[in-house]
Amino acid sequence: MKPCPFCGAELRDSVIKCTRCRRSLRGDPDAEPDPFAPPAASSTAHGSEFDGSARLPALPTPLPVATAPAPAPPVATPPIDEVWSAPRPHSSTAPSVAGRRAMPTAARRWGPDPWMLLAGLLLAGAGVMAWLAIREPWVHLTVSRDATDFEPALVLEFTMRGQIAFAGTAGTALALALVAFGGIWCFYGLQRGWTMPTITHPALAVIICLVGLAMSALSALVWYVWEDAMVVRSATVDLSMQEMQAILDQQPNPLVEVQRLSGLMTFGGMMVAALCVSCLAWWAYRRRGS
């Protein structure tokens, strides 16, 4: 056995490299010291030799051990029943498109519209009958004046047709308008899926019928409606137009009795029938949009 000249460890005689400090015992300068070997003993301040005392190796500095962070405290969550039952504020910023829908809310139905077809046929028929009634006698006018205190004196009599007065001209226009509405309703009644324009709305036909009824009532109650026609037709009673106008303008005014004839009654009846048909068409018009 022999001691190591560097660290003083007891070694066998055959060892040429210290097992503790890893230094060569032969004194080779190329030998590298062991990194884990303790540092060699330093010389004294007076340059004395190594005293050969054994020193313990310095322990390496321990690396810091990474520790896991402390877990966060659990967040209290509400029960499932409260989550689903509690109202949540609406946070959507998308614009509402409820009033700008491109598709219709109801499916359009296709096929013939029997009610509109029926209304169109009946209205066209009523318009034709009203137009024919204008060519018939409307009123019988009896003009008289006070001759005595008891009996009036007969001056003249007239039988007037509707076509010779302004009432007949206006009635012709109304009758033709009803015929036109009836034809249009028949056309759109062939297919209920077609959209009817606003100009064919049954409310316009109702207005035409009301105007026709008002004109019929005036023609039957007010003789001034026939004044111009009486002046124009004065030759039928052997009077000039000036003489007829003088009779009608005299004071006090002459008594004029108006008797309704078949033409006026037919025209008024057709206006009433057309009014009922227009109400039926209005119902069918609203039914098409539903």
Side-chain angles (χ1 to χ4, degrees):
M1 300 296 289
K2 59 180 179 180
C4 176
F6 302 103
C7 62
E10 293 293 335
L11 304 173
R12 292 194 299 270
D13 296 336
S14 61
V15 174
I16 63 175
K17 191 174 185 179
C18 180
T19 59
R20 177 182 294 180
C21 64
R22 311 301 294 176
R23 294 188 177 184
S24 176
L25 301 180
R26 296 180 179 180
D28 298 337
D30 298 335
E32 297 180 359
D34 189 1
F36 298 97
S42 60
S43 60
T44 61
H46 300 285
S48 61
E49 297 180 356
F50 181 72
D51 57 2
S53 61
R55 295 178 181 269
L56 296 177
L59 297 177
T61 304
L63 298 176
V65 180
T67 58
V75 179
T77 57
I80 296 179
D81 296 339
E82 297 182 5
V83 172
W84 288 101
S85 60
R88 295 184 177 181
H90 181 70
S91 59
S92 177
T93 58
S96 176
V97 296
R100 297 180 291 173
R101 300 189 178 197
M103 300 300 293
T105 56
R108 187 183 293 273
R109 293 182 293 179
W110 298 89
D113 189 351
W115 294 108
M116 188 61 71
L117 276 173
L118 178 62
L121 292 174
L122 293 178
L123 188 69
V128 172
M129 293 295 296
W131 179 71
L132 294 176
I134 295 174
R135 299 176 178 274
E136 298 178 2
W138 273 35
V139 293
H140 181 76
L141 303 176
T142 301
V143 182
S144 59
R145 60 184 177 183
D146 293 333
T148 63
D149 295 336
F150 300 100
E151 294 183 359
L154 179 64
V155 177
L156 51 92
E157 293 181 341
F158 274 107
T159 299
M160 310 293 290
R161 298 179 181 270
Q163 62 183 1
I164 65 175
F166 174 77
T169 304
T172 301
L174 297 178
L176 294 179
L178 293 179
V179 173
F181 269 93
I184 294 174
W185 291 353
C186 288
F187 174 76
Y188 283 100
L190 297 176
Q191 185 57 261
R192 71 175 62 187
W194 295 341
T195 302
M196 297 178 62
T198 307
I199 196 174
T200 62
H201 197 284
L204 298 178
V206 171
I207 295 175
I208 292 175
C209 296
L210 294 177
V211 172
L213 287 174
M215 188 185 65
S216 301
L218 289 176
S219 300
L221 299 176
V222 181
W223 71 270
Y224 293 104
V225 176
W226 305 96
E227 182 177 1
D228 293 338
M230 293 170 66
V231 173
V232 173
R233 305 288 293 178
S234 60
T236 58
V237 291
D238 298 331
L239 292 175
S240 64
M241 297 177 62
Q242 292 77 11
E243 292 174 343
M244 177 62 68
Q245 189 66 50
I247 293 174
L248 297 178
D249 292 341
Q250 67 182 354
Q251 298 295 329
N253 290 329
L255 301 177
V256 181
E257 180 183 357
V258 181
Q259 181 182 358
R260 297 182 296 272
L261 299 181
S262 61
L264 180 59
M265 299 299 293
T266 302
F267 184 85
M270 291 300 103
M271 289 294 112
V272 173
L275 179 62
C276 298
V277 172
S278 299
C279 294
L280 173 63
W282 198 337
W283 172 80
Y285 182 86
R286 294 174 58 88
R287 183 170 172 267
R288 291 166 70 99
S290 61

